[in-house]
mmCIF file of all heavy atoms in Angstrom:
data_model
loop_
_atom_site.group_PDB
_atom_site.id
_atom_site.type_symbol
_atom_site.label_atom_id
_atom_site.label_comp_id
_atom_site.label_asym_id
_atom_site.label_seq_id
_atom_site.Cartn_x
_atom_site.Cartn_y
_atom_site.Cartn_z
ATOM 1 N N CYS A 1 1.941 -10.922 -1.045
ATOM 2 C CA CYS A 1 0.839 -10.350 -1.747
ATOM 3 C C CYS A 1 1.147 -9.070 -2.371
ATOM 4 O O CYS A 1 0.793 -8.783 -3.392
ATOM 5 C CB CYS A 1 -0.509 -10.184 -0.783
ATOM 6 S SG CYS A 1 -1.240 -11.792 -0.253
ATOM 7 N N ALA A 2 1.706 -8.227 -1.613
ATOM 8 C CA ALA A 2 2.200 -6.886 -2.099
ATOM 9 C C ALA A 2 3.077 -6.975 -3.237
ATOM 10 O O ALA A 2 2.872 -6.266 -4.307
ATOM 11 C CB ALA A 2 2.806 -6.041 -0.934
ATOM 12 N N ASN A 3 4.072 -7.794 -3.107
ATOM 13 C CA ASN A 3 5.030 -8.001 -4.270
ATOM 14 C C ASN A 3 4.346 -8.522 -5.508
ATOM 15 O O ASN A 3 4.714 -8.058 -6.684
ATOM 16 C CB ASN A 3 6.221 -8.922 -3.854
ATOM 17 C CG ASN A 3 7.077 -8.345 -2.786
ATOM 18 O OD1 ASN A 3 7.168 -7.175 -2.588
ATOM 19 N ND2 ASN A 3 7.780 -9.164 -1.985
ATOM 20 N N PHE A 4 3.445 -9.365 -5.330
ATOM 21 C CA PHE A 4 2.737 -9.943 -6.457
ATOM 22 C C PHE A 4 1.753 -8.921 -7.158
ATOM 23 O O PHE A 4 1.610 -8.829 -8.323
ATOM 24 C CB PHE A 4 2.056 -11.314 -6.213
ATOM 25 C CG PHE A 4 1.660 -12.010 -7.485
ATOM 26 C CD1 PHE A 4 2.707 -12.680 -8.226
ATOM 27 C CD2 PHE A 4 0.350 -11.998 -8.037
ATOM 28 C CE1 PHE A 4 2.441 -13.397 -9.272
ATOM 29 C CE2 PHE A 4 0.114 -12.809 -9.120
ATOM 30 C CZ PHE A 4 1.100 -13.339 -9.866
ATOM 31 N N LEU A 5 1.066 -8.207 -6.216
ATOM 32 C CA LEU A 5 0.260 -7.040 -6.696
ATOM 33 C C LEU A 5 1.043 -6.133 -7.484
ATOM 34 O O LEU A 5 0.598 -5.627 -8.587
ATOM 35 C CB LEU A 5 -0.346 -6.488 -5.474
ATOM 36 C CG LEU A 5 -1.554 -7.131 -4.843
ATOM 37 C CD1 LEU A 5 -1.966 -6.491 -3.546
ATOM 38 C CD2 LEU A 5 -2.820 -7.097 -5.729
ATOM 39 N N GLU A 6 2.189 -5.743 -6.980
ATOM 40 C CA GLU A 6 3.060 -4.794 -7.791
ATOM 41 C C GLU A 6 3.439 -5.334 -9.191
ATOM 42 O O GLU A 6 3.436 -4.675 -10.085
ATOM 43 C CB GLU A 6 4.318 -4.422 -6.987
ATOM 44 C CG GLU A 6 5.157 -3.385 -7.519
ATOM 45 C CD GLU A 6 6.271 -2.896 -6.543
ATOM 46 O OE1 GLU A 6 6.749 -3.768 -5.832
ATOM 47 O OE2 GLU A 6 6.711 -1.789 -6.668
ATOM 48 N N LYS A 7 3.614 -6.590 -9.243
ATOM 49 C CA LYS A 7 3.950 -7.308 -10.454
ATOM 50 C C LYS A 7 2.744 -7.171 -11.416
ATOM 51 O O LYS A 7 2.861 -6.888 -12.629
ATOM 52 C CB LYS A 7 4.373 -8.731 -10.179
ATOM 53 C CG LYS A 7 4.622 -9.512 -11.497
ATOM 54 C CD LYS A 7 5.073 -10.953 -11.147
ATOM 55 C CE LYS A 7 5.316 -11.780 -12.350
ATOM 56 N NZ LYS A 7 4.143 -12.223 -13.051
ATOM 57 N N LEU A 8 1.577 -7.552 -10.856
ATOM 58 C CA LEU A 8 0.374 -7.536 -11.727
ATOM 59 C C LEU A 8 0.017 -6.163 -12.246
ATOM 60 O O LEU A 8 -0.301 -5.932 -13.369
ATOM 61 C CB LEU A 8 -0.921 -7.945 -10.872
ATOM 62 C CG LEU A 8 -1.094 -9.490 -10.495
ATOM 63 C CD1 LEU A 8 -2.139 -9.759 -9.638
ATOM 64 C CD2 LEU A 8 -1.151 -10.185 -11.769
ATOM 65 N N VAL A 9 0.143 -5.084 -11.363
ATOM 66 C CA VAL A 9 -0.115 -3.770 -11.746
ATOM 67 C C VAL A 9 0.908 -3.280 -12.855
ATOM 68 O O VAL A 9 0.427 -2.662 -13.894
ATOM 69 C CB VAL A 9 -0.127 -2.783 -10.475
ATOM 70 C CG1 VAL A 9 -0.129 -1.382 -10.934
ATOM 71 C CG2 VAL A 9 -1.301 -3.110 -9.547
ATOM 72 N N SER A 10 2.112 -3.553 -12.656
ATOM 73 C CA SER A 10 3.178 -3.076 -13.609
ATOM 74 C C SER A 10 3.041 -3.875 -14.962
ATOM 75 O O SER A 10 3.028 -3.249 -15.998
ATOM 76 C CB SER A 10 4.607 -3.299 -12.935
ATOM 77 O OG SER A 10 5.465 -3.073 -13.881
ATOM 78 N N GLU A 11 2.972 -5.272 -14.863
ATOM 79 C CA GLU A 11 3.027 -5.920 -16.145
ATOM 80 C C GLU A 11 1.743 -5.912 -16.929
ATOM 81 O O GLU A 11 1.742 -5.937 -18.277
ATOM 82 C CB GLU A 11 3.393 -7.434 -15.869
ATOM 83 C CG GLU A 11 4.819 -7.582 -15.380
ATOM 84 C CD GLU A 11 5.182 -9.013 -15.171
ATOM 85 O OE1 GLU A 11 4.307 -9.950 -15.611
ATOM 86 O OE2 GLU A 11 6.342 -9.316 -14.684
ATOM 87 N N HIS A 12 0.590 -5.726 -16.269
ATOM 88 C CA HIS A 12 -0.680 -5.776 -16.993
ATOM 89 C C HIS A 12 -1.332 -4.369 -17.006
ATOM 90 O O HIS A 12 -2.486 -4.299 -17.430
ATOM 91 C CB HIS A 12 -1.600 -6.778 -16.368
ATOM 92 C CG HIS A 12 -1.102 -8.166 -16.325
ATOM 93 N ND1 HIS A 12 -1.163 -8.995 -17.411
ATOM 94 C CD2 HIS A 12 -0.411 -8.878 -15.279
ATOM 95 C CE1 HIS A 12 -0.578 -10.133 -17.207
ATOM 96 N NE2 HIS A 12 -0.042 -10.079 -15.928
ATOM 97 N N HIS A 13 -0.666 -3.315 -16.703
ATOM 98 C CA HIS A 13 -1.087 -1.893 -16.918
ATOM 99 C C HIS A 13 -2.420 -1.737 -16.164
ATOM 100 O O HIS A 13 -3.440 -1.262 -16.778
ATOM 101 C CB HIS A 13 -1.168 -1.574 -18.393
ATOM 102 C CG HIS A 13 0.164 -1.383 -19.031
ATOM 103 N ND1 HIS A 13 0.295 -0.561 -20.094
ATOM 104 C CD2 HIS A 13 1.248 -1.992 -18.900
ATOM 105 C CE1 HIS A 13 1.520 -0.642 -20.418
ATOM 106 N NE2 HIS A 13 2.187 -1.565 -19.772
ATOM 107 N N LEU A 14 -2.491 -2.057 -14.935
ATOM 108 C CA LEU A 14 -3.636 -1.983 -14.124
ATOM 109 C C LEU A 14 -3.619 -0.755 -13.113
ATOM 110 O O LEU A 14 -2.481 -0.219 -13.028
ATOM 111 C CB LEU A 14 -3.864 -3.215 -13.263
ATOM 112 C CG LEU A 14 -3.837 -4.464 -13.825
ATOM 113 C CD1 LEU A 14 -3.877 -5.650 -12.861
ATOM 114 C CD2 LEU A 14 -4.876 -4.709 -14.909
ATOM 115 N N ALA A 15 -4.799 -0.295 -12.583
ATOM 116 C CA ALA A 15 -4.759 0.609 -11.494
ATOM 117 C C ALA A 15 -5.414 -0.267 -10.345
ATOM 118 O O ALA A 15 -6.241 -1.005 -10.547
ATOM 119 C CB ALA A 15 -5.755 1.808 -11.803
ATOM 120 N N LEU A 16 -4.698 -0.133 -9.160
ATOM 121 C CA LEU A 16 -5.169 -0.830 -8.038
ATOM 122 C C LEU A 16 -5.761 0.150 -6.947
ATOM 123 O O LEU A 16 -5.090 1.105 -6.525
ATOM 124 C CB LEU A 16 -3.932 -1.624 -7.470
ATOM 125 C CG LEU A 16 -4.018 -2.292 -6.088
ATOM 126 C CD1 LEU A 16 -5.171 -3.302 -6.090
ATOM 127 C CD2 LEU A 16 -2.824 -2.886 -5.701
ATOM 128 N N PHE A 17 -6.951 -0.181 -6.525
ATOM 129 C CA PHE A 17 -7.483 0.483 -5.276
ATOM 130 C C PHE A 17 -7.574 -0.581 -4.132
ATOM 131 O O PHE A 17 -8.069 -1.587 -4.337
ATOM 132 C CB PHE A 17 -8.968 0.974 -5.690
ATOM 133 C CG PHE A 17 -9.042 2.216 -6.513
ATOM 134 C CD1 PHE A 17 -8.803 2.086 -7.737
ATOM 135 C CD2 PHE A 17 -9.149 3.493 -5.872
ATOM 136 C CE1 PHE A 17 -8.774 3.248 -8.589
ATOM 137 C CE2 PHE A 17 -9.080 4.623 -6.693
ATOM 138 C CZ PHE A 17 -9.069 4.537 -7.995
ATOM 139 N N ALA A 18 -7.159 -0.229 -3.001
ATOM 140 C CA ALA A 18 -7.086 -1.093 -1.753
ATOM 141 C C ALA A 18 -7.622 -0.303 -0.524
ATOM 142 O O ALA A 18 -7.140 0.949 -0.341
ATOM 143 C CB ALA A 18 -5.912 -1.786 -1.673
ATOM 144 N N THR A 19 -8.366 -0.792 0.299
ATOM 145 C CA THR A 19 -8.725 -0.159 1.512
ATOM 146 C C THR A 19 -7.935 -0.685 2.693
ATOM 147 O O THR A 19 -7.641 -1.772 2.564
ATOM 148 C CB THR A 19 -10.269 -0.218 1.807
ATOM 149 O OG1 THR A 19 -10.606 -1.712 2.025
ATOM 150 C CG2 THR A 19 -11.142 0.195 0.748
ATOM 151 N N THR A 20 -7.644 0.150 3.600
ATOM 152 C CA THR A 20 -7.088 -0.284 4.909
ATOM 153 C C THR A 20 -7.941 0.305 6.082
ATOM 154 O O THR A 20 -8.434 1.449 5.891
ATOM 155 C CB THR A 20 -5.668 0.211 4.959
ATOM 156 O OG1 THR A 20 -5.579 1.607 4.886
ATOM 157 C CG2 THR A 20 -4.752 -0.417 3.927
ATOM 158 N N GLN A 21 -8.024 -0.492 7.048
ATOM 159 C CA GLN A 21 -8.720 -0.005 8.295
ATOM 160 C C GLN A 21 -7.858 0.769 9.208
ATOM 161 O O GLN A 21 -6.511 0.613 9.075
ATOM 162 C CB GLN A 21 -9.266 -1.195 9.027
ATOM 163 C CG GLN A 21 -10.127 -2.098 8.134
ATOM 164 C CD GLN A 21 -10.257 -3.511 8.678
ATOM 165 O OE1 GLN A 21 -9.254 -3.973 9.501
ATOM 166 N NE2 GLN A 21 -11.140 -4.241 8.222
ATOM 167 N N MET A 22 -8.299 1.613 9.964
ATOM 168 C CA MET A 22 -7.640 2.400 10.961
ATOM 169 C C MET A 22 -7.426 1.625 12.214
ATOM 170 O O MET A 22 -8.108 1.771 13.049
ATOM 171 C CB MET A 22 -8.203 3.883 11.191
ATOM 172 C CG MET A 22 -7.370 4.813 11.943
ATOM 173 S SD MET A 22 -8.021 6.549 11.944
ATOM 174 C CE MET A 22 -9.238 6.175 13.353
ATOM 175 N N LEU A 23 -6.453 0.849 12.242
ATOM 176 C CA LEU A 23 -6.126 -0.036 13.318
ATOM 177 C C LEU A 23 -5.179 0.507 14.366
ATOM 178 O O LEU A 23 -5.100 0.168 15.658
ATOM 179 C CB LEU A 23 -5.540 -1.449 12.879
ATOM 180 C CG LEU A 23 -6.460 -2.150 11.920
ATOM 181 C CD1 LEU A 23 -5.678 -3.488 11.472
ATOM 182 C CD2 LEU A 23 -7.750 -2.469 12.453
ATOM 183 N N MET A 24 -4.340 1.490 14.018
ATOM 184 C CA MET A 24 -3.383 2.086 14.810
ATOM 185 C C MET A 24 -3.547 3.589 14.986
ATOM 186 O O MET A 24 -3.945 4.284 14.061
ATOM 187 C CB MET A 24 -1.889 1.871 14.215
ATOM 188 C CG MET A 24 -1.567 0.295 14.056
ATOM 189 S SD MET A 24 -1.399 -0.409 15.623
ATOM 190 C CE MET A 24 -0.806 -2.039 14.996
ATOM 191 N N GLN A 25 -3.201 4.088 16.142
ATOM 192 C CA GLN A 25 -3.211 5.505 16.253
ATOM 193 C C GLN A 25 -1.822 6.089 16.104
ATOM 194 O O GLN A 25 -0.836 5.420 16.260
ATOM 195 C CB GLN A 25 -3.692 5.899 17.812
ATOM 196 C CG GLN A 25 -4.983 5.411 18.122
ATOM 197 C CD GLN A 25 -6.053 6.045 17.318
ATOM 198 O OE1 GLN A 25 -6.135 7.252 17.139
ATOM 199 N NE2 GLN A 25 -6.974 5.241 16.832
ATOM 200 N N LYS A 26 -1.785 7.380 15.643
ATOM 201 C CA LYS A 26 -0.517 8.040 15.356
ATOM 202 C C LYS A 26 0.349 8.390 16.645
ATOM 203 O O LYS A 26 -0.228 8.659 17.643
ATOM 204 C CB LYS A 26 -0.700 9.358 14.592
ATOM 205 C CG LYS A 26 0.437 10.122 14.204
ATOM 206 C CD LYS A 26 0.128 11.202 13.264
ATOM 207 C CE LYS A 26 -0.791 12.165 14.059
ATOM 208 N NZ LYS A 26 -1.081 13.342 13.037
ATOM 209 N N SER A 27 1.522 8.045 16.554
ATOM 210 C CA SER A 27 2.423 8.358 17.697
ATOM 211 C C SER A 27 3.380 9.394 17.237
ATOM 212 O O SER A 27 3.472 9.843 16.073
ATOM 213 C CB SER A 27 3.215 7.010 18.114
ATOM 214 O OG SER A 27 4.047 6.639 17.039
ATOM 215 N N ALA A 28 4.167 9.936 18.235
ATOM 216 C CA ALA A 28 5.045 11.064 17.981
ATOM 217 C C ALA A 28 6.002 10.899 16.884
ATOM 218 O O ALA A 28 6.376 11.764 16.009
ATOM 219 C CB ALA A 28 5.723 11.455 19.244
ATOM 220 N N ASN A 29 6.546 9.623 16.764
ATOM 221 C CA ASN A 29 7.640 9.348 15.788
ATOM 222 C C ASN A 29 7.167 8.577 14.552
ATOM 223 O O ASN A 29 7.967 7.947 13.912
ATOM 224 C CB ASN A 29 8.765 8.502 16.480
ATOM 225 C CG ASN A 29 9.346 9.316 17.563
ATOM 226 O OD1 ASN A 29 9.554 10.466 17.489
ATOM 227 N ND2 ASN A 29 9.738 8.664 18.735
ATOM 228 N N SER A 30 5.920 8.417 14.325
ATOM 229 C CA SER A 30 5.278 7.550 13.283
ATOM 230 C C SER A 30 5.250 8.324 11.955
ATOM 231 O O SER A 30 5.153 9.506 11.973
ATOM 232 C CB SER A 30 3.993 6.997 13.636
ATOM 233 O OG SER A 30 3.086 8.006 13.712
ATOM 234 N N ALA A 31 5.193 7.455 10.892
ATOM 235 C CA ALA A 31 4.799 7.856 9.620
ATOM 236 C C ALA A 31 5.695 8.680 8.867
ATOM 237 O O ALA A 31 5.564 9.003 7.628
ATOM 238 C CB ALA A 31 3.454 8.602 9.624
ATOM 239 N N GLU A 32 6.860 9.161 9.411
ATOM 240 C CA GLU A 32 7.750 9.983 8.625
ATOM 241 C C GLU A 32 8.359 9.411 7.462
ATOM 242 O O GLU A 32 8.652 10.004 6.444
ATOM 243 C CB GLU A 32 8.811 10.481 9.599
ATOM 244 C CG GLU A 32 8.240 11.260 10.866
ATOM 245 C CD GLU A 32 7.334 12.386 10.562
ATOM 246 O OE1 GLU A 32 7.564 13.029 9.553
ATOM 247 O OE2 GLU A 32 6.533 12.726 11.447
ATOM 248 N N SER A 33 8.641 8.062 7.569
ATOM 249 C CA SER A 33 9.432 7.402 6.471
ATOM 250 C C SER A 33 8.539 7.280 5.266
ATOM 251 O O SER A 33 9.120 7.167 4.084
ATOM 252 C CB SER A 33 10.192 6.150 6.875
ATOM 253 O OG SER A 33 9.201 5.307 7.343
ATOM 254 N N PHE A 34 7.310 7.083 5.472
ATOM 255 C CA PHE A 34 6.362 6.686 4.337
ATOM 256 C C PHE A 34 5.400 7.870 4.082
ATOM 257 O O PHE A 34 4.592 7.776 3.271
ATOM 258 C CB PHE A 34 5.553 5.502 4.623
ATOM 259 C CG PHE A 34 6.512 4.304 4.870
ATOM 260 C CD1 PHE A 34 6.560 3.723 6.045
ATOM 261 C CD2 PHE A 34 7.166 3.795 3.806
ATOM 262 C CE1 PHE A 34 7.369 2.707 6.314
ATOM 263 C CE2 PHE A 34 8.077 2.717 3.969
ATOM 264 C CZ PHE A 34 8.071 2.089 5.290
ATOM 265 N N PHE A 35 5.403 8.985 4.832
ATOM 266 C CA PHE A 35 4.487 10.078 4.665
ATOM 267 C C PHE A 35 5.148 11.377 4.856
ATOM 268 O O PHE A 35 5.545 11.735 5.862
ATOM 269 C CB PHE A 35 3.439 9.890 5.821
ATOM 270 C CG PHE A 35 2.081 10.611 5.502
ATOM 271 C CD1 PHE A 35 1.424 10.173 4.392
ATOM 272 C CD2 PHE A 35 1.564 11.615 6.287
ATOM 273 C CE1 PHE A 35 0.142 10.776 4.009
ATOM 274 C CE2 PHE A 35 0.398 12.240 5.993
ATOM 275 C CZ PHE A 35 -0.297 11.783 4.820
#
């Protein structure tokens, strides 16, 4: 889904808004690679 969404957004000049739920709590070693 993510790969195809990226294709749609890029090829068709779209903006994408998506929501995510807070399912996980932050740990000491989390989020550094993406945040």
Side-chain angles (χ1 to χ4, degrees):
C1 287
N3 290 338
F4 197 74
L5 280 168
E6 189 170 28
K7 177 179 181 289
L8 286 177
V9 168
S10 174
E11 292 188 1
H12 299 283
H13 289 212
L14 310 174
L16 168 63
F17 284 81
T19 63
T20 57
Q21 303 154 342
M22 195 170 76
L23 301 180
M24 301 289 183
Q25 298 297 317
K26 182 170 61 177
S27 64
N29 298 320
S30 68
E32 301 303 332
S33 59
F34 300 111
F35 204 57

